[in-house]
RNA sequence: GCGGAUAUGGCGUAAUUGGUAGCCGCGCUAGACUUAGGAUCUAGUUCUUAACCGAGUGGGGGUUCGAGUCCCCCUAUCCGCACCA
């Protein structure tokens, strides 16, 4: 019987489904293990071969762990809310739910063909009300909690209110709590809630009609669609993720992630230590002062001017009449600049003098105050002390405006020079303070400490830590997302009662913003909250007494993906996000596989979400994802033809002399190219404009160029997994994707390479001599060599899986198969364990052979074979013999041989190999089972 | 500019973690079987060479009996951040 993958793969997939082989229970005495894939956004384009790479790796690991006796949670679901379905809805009128449903069905079909071992009973979809009920629920909890910096955890906001009532908390209060109106109280609490409403500068994308989070904007353009983004002040919901900044940094030390990803997160959070210092404004009657943040307090004696960001609220009060117009002009110019313009002109210095002066609190000097957009509103306090001698940006600004530059740090006390002669500032933190009063002569580190101490003593500043991380903007002016469980009474937001969740996404007549510029939910007619009857009612009933408007924006994509891994533990629970029993059993994700592009988005938000739920006592681990692997992209290998610049119908073969100057490269469909040789006839048929193409050939062939690029339709280099499964089978696809190279690495898809893996599987199949009566294997005791091959393979494959080196395990199978084929092995004792070994990689063929071998239970329930050390022990070992480190020949020695034995054996060698002769070596290096090196 | 990573045959990669560099696969070459081959099988394939010898893991230095592997300095490529005070 031949290896008929087309028949056996669907047959086993059905069988597995019917028998529920992959069903996972939360009750088990087995050890638990949780293997998770980043769930996909079901896009209209379907999967290409790059998507399943991580899924295959995790499936192999999950199957392996099962075979080793673990109860393995390995679920899958869909991140189903998102912009593309909504954009499509705006264009076509098709409801996003319909598009999404259709795409999910297509994804599922594609996934099923690859033979994954997911427990589909646990599937979650972020757009499913049973699921987003808990996203909304979490939002309500965030709203009702604040971050207690003393306990260093989230606490109910009611605790803060009690403190306010009894007067033990007065921070920022202008009058006693009890004398404040409801409005004032709510405004005050907004400054503490973990989910809060505030006017903040946001990334507004006019084309998408919505705001975007920082990680959704790259180079001033939206990640989705690539549209320009501008900064705008808007009233938005935000999550106070910055409250968790320190814990997010600290947690990185406890997880098993790559250093590069941890570093990406550390950079994104951007912790920096420094000082906050108050600078008074000179000549101000009201004792105006403003706060700055600096990481270099030691340079305070070098301050020659101050700079405020254009958004700074104090500009109004301090600007002199003479400068007012110029300053206001600059401020409005700076505010209206698009993000893209601003980023493109980073090097260009701009700014304006306010006419006001500040007083350096340590030197009592008057220093001019400027406004410039090189100071950012969102970082620190939006105001800086400028030290041009020791900060490159201040240096550029000072040079541009002819401001003084004063050196206060030098490599050593006698290396002071005239800053007028400098080409750049001296930013290094090494050296000593100079010209700096009481810190002169101190090392930078000590000087920093001394200045902060002094400033704290004087009560004009303090030691502090700043983070680059910003709070996460949580509103989107879109339709296809989770509705906020929020209604507005007298403009004050209130949460819906928890038992009224989920708040269902309403139907709308139009998916575009309303004529008045409100989000699409503004079109909904059923979108008011009846407080008394606790239900959603018609907008026309809004009376401001018991019926109120509901929030019109929806939550962003990361809302639903921030807690989904917890929901998988107990996905059908209607009473809770997940039961404590479930989370106590599964704990957290042991292995998480997905793309590195989520490093500053999902992976930060999910960690924050988890830590918040941890503070609530719901999740039981501080970190959600213990080990994380970023799978690399699979790139496409594009082919090119070269069209003559003079003659549009002429195509010149790649290696013809002078081709490069005469031609332009154009992408050609990889399906009409074989081994870089173009199929000329197919090319002519491919597109009408090529029908009359003529060619300049080499050796009678047209040779195409190639390049490794991203896999994309426009480059005609997309490999579709369905086609590969159709042609070679799921097992071949699975093995090949692993064989390609390390999971973490980006690597190109080589169209031909898959043949080799396919050949291996057929060869492997042949090894089992499958006839009508099953595998025709014998029960003879295998030879020593056969046993060695088997146990070597078990050892290698086991070790490789443990270190996630799947490409080398596949190679090990190939070597094993080659050896056993050469030895013509038919021993059941050898071949049976190999089936189990192959099962995680190629489950279908393994299952088929397992049954052909006479088993009637699934290979998924078999036991992982153990290797026998004794089979690996050699009687003799072939030593490489080196002289002075140079390898000369090999010699067979007993495994137990010593250095003396080796030396004796080498002396006894025949004439041709008498390297040593009678000479006495200076030294003999003998490493058992490694090498003999003789130093003469 | 800052941070992180990577560099090995024509190509994807491997190397028991300091011990014979190039496993496995693709491609290529030759042969066999075939009416045929984009099927299958066999042999070869780092470079140089008829062969031996020799050279060889981006470049340069160092540690070591011995370096792809460890240390220092360059170079190139990829990724992340980017006026973050």
């Amino acid at each position: 019987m031949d290896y008929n993958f087309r028949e056996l793969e669907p047959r086993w997939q059905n069988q597995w489904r019917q028998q529920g082989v992959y069903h996972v229970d939360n009750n088990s005495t087995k050890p638990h293990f949780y293997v998770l894939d980043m769930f996909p956004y079901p896009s209209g384009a379907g999967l290409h071969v790059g998507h399943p790479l991580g899924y295959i790796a995790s499936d192999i690991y999950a199957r392996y762990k099962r075979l080793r006796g673990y109860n393995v949670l390995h679920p899958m679901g869909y991140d189903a809310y998102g912009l593309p379905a909504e954009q499509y809805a705006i264009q076509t009128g098709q409801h996003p739910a319909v598009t999404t449903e259709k795409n999910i069905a297509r994804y599922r079909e594609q996934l099923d063909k690859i033979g994954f071992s997911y427990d589909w009973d646990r599937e979650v979809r972020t757009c499913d009300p049973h699921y987003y009920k808990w996203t909304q629920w979490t939002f309500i909890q965030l709203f009702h909690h604040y971050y207690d910096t003393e306990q260093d955890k989230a606490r109910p906001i009611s605790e803060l209110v009690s403190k306010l009532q009894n007067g033990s908390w007065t921070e920022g209060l202008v009058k006693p709590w009890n004398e404040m109106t409801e409005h004032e109280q709510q405004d005050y609490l907004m400054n503490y809630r973990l989910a809060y409403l505030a006017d903040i500068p946001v990334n507004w994308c006019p084309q998408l009609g919505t705001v975007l989070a920082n990680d959704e904007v790259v180079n001033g353009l939206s990640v989705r669609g690539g549209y320009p983004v501008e900064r705008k002040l808007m009233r938005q919901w935000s999550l106070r993720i910055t409250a968790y900044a320190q814990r997010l940094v600290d947690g990185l030390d406890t997880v098993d992630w790559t250093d590069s990803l941890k570093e990406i997160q550390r950079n994104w959070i951007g912790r920096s230590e420094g000082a906050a210092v108050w600078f008074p404004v000179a000549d101000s009657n009201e004792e105006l002062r403003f706060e700055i943040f600096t990481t270099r307090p030691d340079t305070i004696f070098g301050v020659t001017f101050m700079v405020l960001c254009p958004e700074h609220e104090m500009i109004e009060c301090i600007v002199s009449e003479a400068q007012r117009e110029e300053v206001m002009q600059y401020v409005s110019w700076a505010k209206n600049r698009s993000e893209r313009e601003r980023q493109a002109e980073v090097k260009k210095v701009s700014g304006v003098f306010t006419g006001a002066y500040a007083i350096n609190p340590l030197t009592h000097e008057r220093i001019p105050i400027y406004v410039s957009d090189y100071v950012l509103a969102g970082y620190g306090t939006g105001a800086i002390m400028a030290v041009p001698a020791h900060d490159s940006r201040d240096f550029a600004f000072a040079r541009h405006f002819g401001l003084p530059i004063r050196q206060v740090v030098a490599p050593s006390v006698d290396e002071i020079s005239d800053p007028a002669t400098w080409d750049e500032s001296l930013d290094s933190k090494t050296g000593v303070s100079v010209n700096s009063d009481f810190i002169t002569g101190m090392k930078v580190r000590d000087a920093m400490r001394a200045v902060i101490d002094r400033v704290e003593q004087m009560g004009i500043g303090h030691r502090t830590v700043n983070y680059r991380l910003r709070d996460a903007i949580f509103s989107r002016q879109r339709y296809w997302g989770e509705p906020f469980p929020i209604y507005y009474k007298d403009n004050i937001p209130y949460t819906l009662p928890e038992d009224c969740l989920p708040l269902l996404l309403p139907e709308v007549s139009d998916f575009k913003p309303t004529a008045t510029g409100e989000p699409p939910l503004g079109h909904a007619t059923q979108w008011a909250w009846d407080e008394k009857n606790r239900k959603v009612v018609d907008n026309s009933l809004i009376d401001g007494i018991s019926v109120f408007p509901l929030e019109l924006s929806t939550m962003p994509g990361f809302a639903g993906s921030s807690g989904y891994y917890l929901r998988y533990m107990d996905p059908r629970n209607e009473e809770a996000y997940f039961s404590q029993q479930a989370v106590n059993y599964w704990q957290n994700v042991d292995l998480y596989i997905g793309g590195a592009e989520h490093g500053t988005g999902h992976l930060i938000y999910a960690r924050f979400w988890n830590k918040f739920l941890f503070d609530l006592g719901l999740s039981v681990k501080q970190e959600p994802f213990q080990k994380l692997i970023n799978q690399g992209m699979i790139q496409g290998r594009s082919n090119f033809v070269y069209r003559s610049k003079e003659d549009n119908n002429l195509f010149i073969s790649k290696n013809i002399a002078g081709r490069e100057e005469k031609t332009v490269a154009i992408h050609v469909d990889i399906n009409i190219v074989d081994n870089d040789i173009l199929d000329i006839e197919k090319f002519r048929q491919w597109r009408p404009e090529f029908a009359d193409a003529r060619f300049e050939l080499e050796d009678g062939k047209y040779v195409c160029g190639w390049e490794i690029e991203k896999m994309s339709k426009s480059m005609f280099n997309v490999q579709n997994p369905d086609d590969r499964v159709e042609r070679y089978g799921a097992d071949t696809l699975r093995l090949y994707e692993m064989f390609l190279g390390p999971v973490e690495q980006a690597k190109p898809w080589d169209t031909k390479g898959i043949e080799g893996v396919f050949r291996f599987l057929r060869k492997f199949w042949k090894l089992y001599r499958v006839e009508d009566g099953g595998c025709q294997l014998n029960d003879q005791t295998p030879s020593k060599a056969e046993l060695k091959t088997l146990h070597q393979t078990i050892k290698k494959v086991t070790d490789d899986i443990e270190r996630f080196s799947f490409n080398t395990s596949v190679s090990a199978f190939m070597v094993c198969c080659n050896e056993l084929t050469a030895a013509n092995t038919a021993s059941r004792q050898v071949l049976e364990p190999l089936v189990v070994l192959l099962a995680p990689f190629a489950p279908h063929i393994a299952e088929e052979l397992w049954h052909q071998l006479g088993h009637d239970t699934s290979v998924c329930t078999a036991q992982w074979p153990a290797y026998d050390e004794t089979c690996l022990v050699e009687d003799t070992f072939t030593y490489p013999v080196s002289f002075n480190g140079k390898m000369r020949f090999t010699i067979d020695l007993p495994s137990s041989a010593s250095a003396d034995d080796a030396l004796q054996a080498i002396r006894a060698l025949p004439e041709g190999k008498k390297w040593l002769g009678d000479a006495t070596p200076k030294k003999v290096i003998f490493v058992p089972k490694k090498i003999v090196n003789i130093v003469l």
Side-chain angles (χ1 to χ4, degrees), chain A residues 279 281 289-292 305-319 327 330-331 334 350-354 356-358 368-377 381-386 397:
Chain A
F279 275 68
V281 178
R289 52 179 205 159
F290 56 90
E291 192 182 15
I292 60 99
F305 57 101
M306 311 292 294
V307 189
L308 305 179
C309 66
E311 293 84 356
H312 205 279
E313 51 191 13
M314 272 181 58
I315 295 175
E316 281 278 346
C317 347
I318 62 163
V319 65
V327 168
Y330 179 79
V331 166
S350 75
V352 57
F353 178 46
T354 60
Y357 290 83
I369 304 173
Y370 279 73
V371 176
S372 173
D373 66 352
Y374 86 86
V375 175
L376 303 177
T381 58
I384 60 156
M385 60 176 216
F397 194 85

Side-chain angles (χ1 to χ4, degrees), chain A residues 244-257 262 265-266 269 607 611 622-626:
Chain A
Y244 284 81
Q246 190 58 52
R247 280 167 68 185
L248 288 169
V249 173
D250 294 342
L252 290 173
D253 296 331
T254 68
V255 292
D256 187 11
W257 297 11
K262 285 186 189 181
Q265 291 216 341
R266 281 194 197 103
I269 298 166
R607 292 180 60 220
K611 283 179 193 299
Q622 282 266 10
E623 288 293 331
F625 314 122
Q626 195 52 48

Side-chain angles (χ1 to χ4, degrees), chain A residues 704-771:
Chain A
C704 297
W706 61 271
E707 218 163 284
I708 303 301
E709 298 177 298
K710 212 177 148 184
M711 221 176 250
S712 137
K713 265 187 185 167
S714 61
M715 296 170 186
F716 306 108
N717 61 2
V718 173
Q719 294 282 341
N720 175 299
D722 303 11
D723 293 349
R724 299 302 97 191
V725 169
E726 177 52 37
R727 173 81 183 80
Y728 301 105
D731 286 339
T732 300
L733 177 79
R734 291 170 62 105
L735 278 171
Y736 183 54
E737 294 225 2
M738 292 302 103
F739 182 68
L740 228 33
V743 194
E744 302 94 323
Q745 225 167 73
K747 58 233 162 217
W749 180 272
D750 173 4
T751 326
K752 277 280 174 200
I754 195 168
E755 300 268 358
V757 172
F758 184 52
R759 258 173 232 145
F760 154 70
L761 276 185
R762 278 188 309 189
K763 226 164 145 181
F764 189 82
W765 175 268
K766 265 192 204 152
L767 217 44
Y768 287 80
R769 300 165 174 81
V770 180
E771 305 281 333

Side-chain angles (χ1 to χ4, degrees), chain A residues 663-871:
Chain A
T663 58
V664 252
I666 46 179
H667 279 95
V668 60
D669 191 335
I670 52 165
N671 293 308
I672 60 173
V673 178
D674 184 53
N675 237 342
D676 294 339
I677 309 294
L678 181 72
D679 185 322
I680 287 172
E681 270 322 301
K682 283 186 186 158
F683 180 71
R684 288 192 173 122
Q685 289 158 19
W686 183 40
R687 302 190 136 190
E689 69 257 41
F690 299 142
D692 302 321
R694 285 172 293 111
F695 300 91
E696 206 170 301
L697 305 176
E698 52 183 298
D699 302 331
K701 294 176 203 157
Y702 188 94
V703 179
C704 297
W706 61 271
E707 218 163 284
I708 303 301
E709 298 177 298
K710 212 177 148 184
M711 221 176 250
S712 137
K713 265 187 185 167
S714 61
M715 296 170 186
F716 306 108
N717 61 2
V718 173
Q719 294 282 341
N720 175 299
D722 303 11
D723 293 349
R724 299 302 97 191
V725 169
E726 177 52 37
R727 173 81 183 80
Y728 301 105
D731 286 339
T732 300
L733 177 79
R734 291 170 62 105
L735 278 171
Y736 183 54
E737 294 225 2
M738 292 302 103
F739 182 68
L740 228 33
V743 194
E744 302 94 323
Q745 225 167 73
K747 58 233 162 217
W749 180 272
D750 173 4
T751 326
K752 277 280 174 200
I754 195 168
E755 300 268 358
V757 172
F758 184 52
R759 258 173 232 145
F760 154 70
L761 276 185
R762 278 188 309 189
K763 226 164 145 181
F764 189 82
W765 175 268
K766 265 192 204 152
L767 217 44
Y768 287 80
R769 300 165 174 81
V770 180
E771 305 281 333
D772 285 343
C775 299
Q776 304 304 305
L777 302 182
N778 64 43
D779 289 317
Q780 289 164 19
T781 308
S783 72
K784 220 174 159 185
E786 288 167 336
L787 280 175
K788 190 182 159 197
T789 300
L790 169 69
H791 289 282
Q792 246 171 6
T793 309
I794 296 174
K795 180 170 164 44
K796 176 101 177 100
V797 170
T798 309
D799 292 351
D800 285 351
I801 294 178
E802 290 286 2
R803 60 188 179 107
F804 305 97
S805 175
F806 302 117
N807 56 328
T808 51
S809 346
V810 179
S811 295
F813 280 118
M814 290 177 172
V815 172
C816 172
C817 183
N818 288 344
E819 283 176 13
L820 293 181
T821 303
N824 200 21
T825 303
S827 161
R828 172 178 287 266
Q829 214 182 20
V830 172
L831 291 172
E832 200 165 281
L834 283 182
V835 173
V836 182
L837 216 57
L838 190 68
F841 297 85
H844 308 85
I845 190 175
E847 187 76 288
E848 177 67 18
L849 288 172
W850 187 248
H851 283 258
Q852 295 285 352
L853 282 163
H855 298 272
D856 48 13
T857 53
S858 170
V859 71
C860 305
T861 59
Q863 203 189 354
W864 189 255
Y867 61 88
D868 183 351
E869 285 286 356
T870 59
C871 293

Side-chain angles (χ1 to χ4, degrees), chain A residues 7-33:
Chain A
E7 184 275 324
L8 72 87
E9 287 185 353
R11 175 156 51 81
W12 283 117
Q13 283 166 11
N14 274 328
Q15 189 103 7
W16 291 331
R17 190 167 339 158
Q18 277 165 25
Q19 295 180 351
V21 194
Y22 303 126
H23 178 78
V24 186
D25 248 315
N26 283 357
N27 293 307
S28 173
T29 51
K30 290 181 189 172
H32 58 90
F33 202 87

Side-chain angles (χ1 to χ4, degrees), chain A residues 8-17 22 47 52 55-56 59 63 76 78 103-121 123 125 721-722 725 729-731 733-734 843-844:
Chain A
L8 72 87
E9 287 185 353
R11 175 156 51 81
W12 283 117
Q13 283 166 11
N14 274 328
Q15 189 103 7
W16 291 331
R17 190 167 339 158
Y22 303 126
L47 296 169
Y55 304 159
I56 294 170
D59 195 58
R63 286 173 179 275
M76 185 43 106
Y78 304 97
N103 291 347
I104 286 178
R106 167 105 179 93
Y107 264 62
R108 178 65 191 274
E109 194 190 326
Q110 287 188 299
L111 291 172
D112 279 349
K113 281 188 188 163
I114 304 173
F116 293 120
S117 61
Y118 297 124
D119 179 359
W120 283 105
D121 294 342
E123 178 190 312
R125 299 179 184 189
D722 303 11
V725 169
D731 286 339
L733 177 79
R734 291 170 62 105
H844 308 85

